[in-house]
């Protein structure tokens, strides 16, 4: 059986439109399985629908960089995709309040051991993705957290050595936390496609905007 997601509504995914044969599906029970990836934590509904709407509205007032195939915004520190590094000289100043509020919440809730000082916003139109990668090890700390807004997507985790692949469905307003093996031994990526299949169901992609929070490691603070 398949179901099709409609527009993302302001009130969240529970208000998505379903195809007629899927009305009995209880989406809340859909289990996002992270058990086989040590260090990976998935938290649905991390922010509420009005917070998500406000955040997206704020982000959409800002200027997108079009240097990559997908649009991005960098806060705190600029990341150099070509050199694969963060240069302290590329400090963009403190995170803006809307990003700082989330960084603070993540820290106060004990989800990250250091308060994130960099946020990268990625915008994916349906059909866009991100190549499988491990986030720069010398640039960023142990904890990488990504908040999803807009549409769903399946993030594919690939073990760097065994090449085992595990898909993880990211719902809007959820966060995913990469630590330990999930951060250092598994690559993550998003296949550029317009529909994802997850646990036998189809999820039509919509515009997705993610906010990735990291703690930048600078050479002078080698802790
Ligand atoms: O879009 C996402 O959730 C992840 C983005 C990502 O992996 C990255 O910017 O390194
Ligand atoms: Fe990444």
């Amino acid at each position: 059986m398949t179901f099709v997601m409609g527009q993302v509504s302001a009130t969240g995914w529970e208000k998505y439109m379903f195809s007629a044969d899927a009305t009995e599906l209880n989406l809340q029970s859909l289990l996002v399985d992270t058990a086989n990836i040590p260090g990976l934590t998935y938290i649905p509904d991390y922010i509420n629908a009005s917070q998500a709407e406000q955040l997206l509205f704020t982000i959409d007032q800002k200027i997108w960089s079009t240097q990559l195939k997908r649009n991005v915004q960098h806060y705190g520190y600029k990341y150099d995709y070509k050199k694969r590094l963060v240069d302290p000289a590329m400090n963009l100043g403190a995170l803006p309040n809307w990003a700082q509020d989330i960084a603070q919440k993540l820290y106060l809730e004990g989800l990250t051991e250091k308060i994130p000082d960099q946020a990268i916003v990625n915008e994916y139109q349906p059909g866009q993705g991100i190549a499988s990668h491990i986030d720069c090890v010398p640039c960023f700390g142990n904890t990488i957290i990504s908040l999803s807004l807009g549409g769903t997507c399946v993030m594919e985790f690939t073990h760097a050595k065994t090449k085992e692949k595990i898909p993880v469905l990211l719902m809007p307003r959820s966060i995913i936390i990469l630590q330990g093996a999930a951060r250092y031994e598994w690559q993550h990526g998003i296949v550029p496609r317009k529909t994802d299949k997850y646990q036998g169901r189809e999820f039509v992609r919509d515009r997705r905007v993610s906010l990735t929070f990291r703690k930048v490691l600078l050479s002078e603070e080698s802790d």
Side-chain angles (χ1 to χ4, degrees):
M1 185 164 34
T2 61
F3 73 87
V4 178
M5 286 196 156
Q7 283 298 107
V8 178
S9 72
T11 45
W13 60 270
E14 61 275 18
K15 288 280 172 68
Y16 284 174
M17 298 183 300
F18 299 99
S19 62
D21 68 340
T23 44
E24 80 277 18
L25 273 180
N26 179 3
L27 248 195
Q28 313 261 2
S29 71
L30 193 135
L31 253 189
V32 174
D33 184 14
T34 56
N36 293 319
I37 309 176
L40 188 65
T41 307
Y42 175 78
I43 305 179
D45 301 312
Y46 186 68
I47 58 171
N48 67 36
S50 69
Q51 289 168 323
E53 194 181 7
Q54 185 61 46
L55 208 45
L56 209 43
F57 179 81
T58 303
I59 288 166
D60 276 329
Q61 310 303 303
K62 311 285 184 253
I63 294 164
W64 292 97
S65 156
T66 54
Q67 62 170 136
L68 304 176
K69 271 193 212 151
R70 58 179 194 283
N71 287 342
V72 294
Q73 298 178 15
H74 289 202
Y75 296 100
Y77 286 87
K78 201 164 164 34
Y79 180 66
D80 188 326
Y81 292 96
K82 283 206 186 94
K83 294 191 198 143
R84 293 185 57 85
L85 59 78
V86 176
D87 182 338
M90 298 193 289
N91 188 335
L92 304 170
L95 292 180
N97 287 343
W98 49 271
Q100 185 62 33
D101 288 351
I102 300 169
Q104 193 83 27
K105 175 171 150 75
L106 294 166
Y107 176 69
L108 292 175
E109 290 170 351
L111 299 175
T112 175
E113 63 280 2
K114 296 263 172 71
I115 184 146
D117 55 6
Q118 192 216 35
I120 292 185
V121 184
N122 281 291
E123 179 193 51
Y124 306 87
Q125 299 295 348
Q128 293 185 324
I130 183 167
S132 205
H133 65 280
I134 289 174
D135 281 27
C136 175
V137 172
C139 309
F140 306 118
N142 175 51
T143 304
I144 312 272
I145 301 179
S146 188
L147 168 68
S148 291
L149 302 171
T152 60
C153 86
V154 166
M155 182 171 272
E156 193 168 72
F157 285 82
T158 308
H159 193 275
K161 290 216 173 87
T162 66
K163 303 298 172 200
E164 179 187 2
K165 281 189 192 299
I166 300 185
V168 173
L169 178 70
L170 305 183
M171 297 300 283
R173 303 189 287 104
S174 70
I175 56 168
I176 197 156
I177 309 173
L178 279 64
Q179 293 170 315
R183 153 87 172 99
Y184 296 111
E185 293 167 30
W186 289 77
Q187 300 175 320
H188 55 279
I190 298 168
V191 177
R193 61 185 167 216
K194 294 194 171 163
T195 302
D196 289 305
K197 262 211 175 121
Y198 190 74
Q199 297 180 358
R201 302 172 193 177
E202 282 190 2
F203 294 81
V204 176
R205 288 211 193 147
D206 204 336
R207 174 187 187 235
R208 172 174 178 269
V209 173
S210 68
L211 280 73
T212 306
F213 292 88
R214 303 177 178 93
K215 171 76 178 89
V216 169
L217 300 177
L218 299 173
S219 48
E220 60 266 29
E221 43 166 311
S222 53
D223 53 346

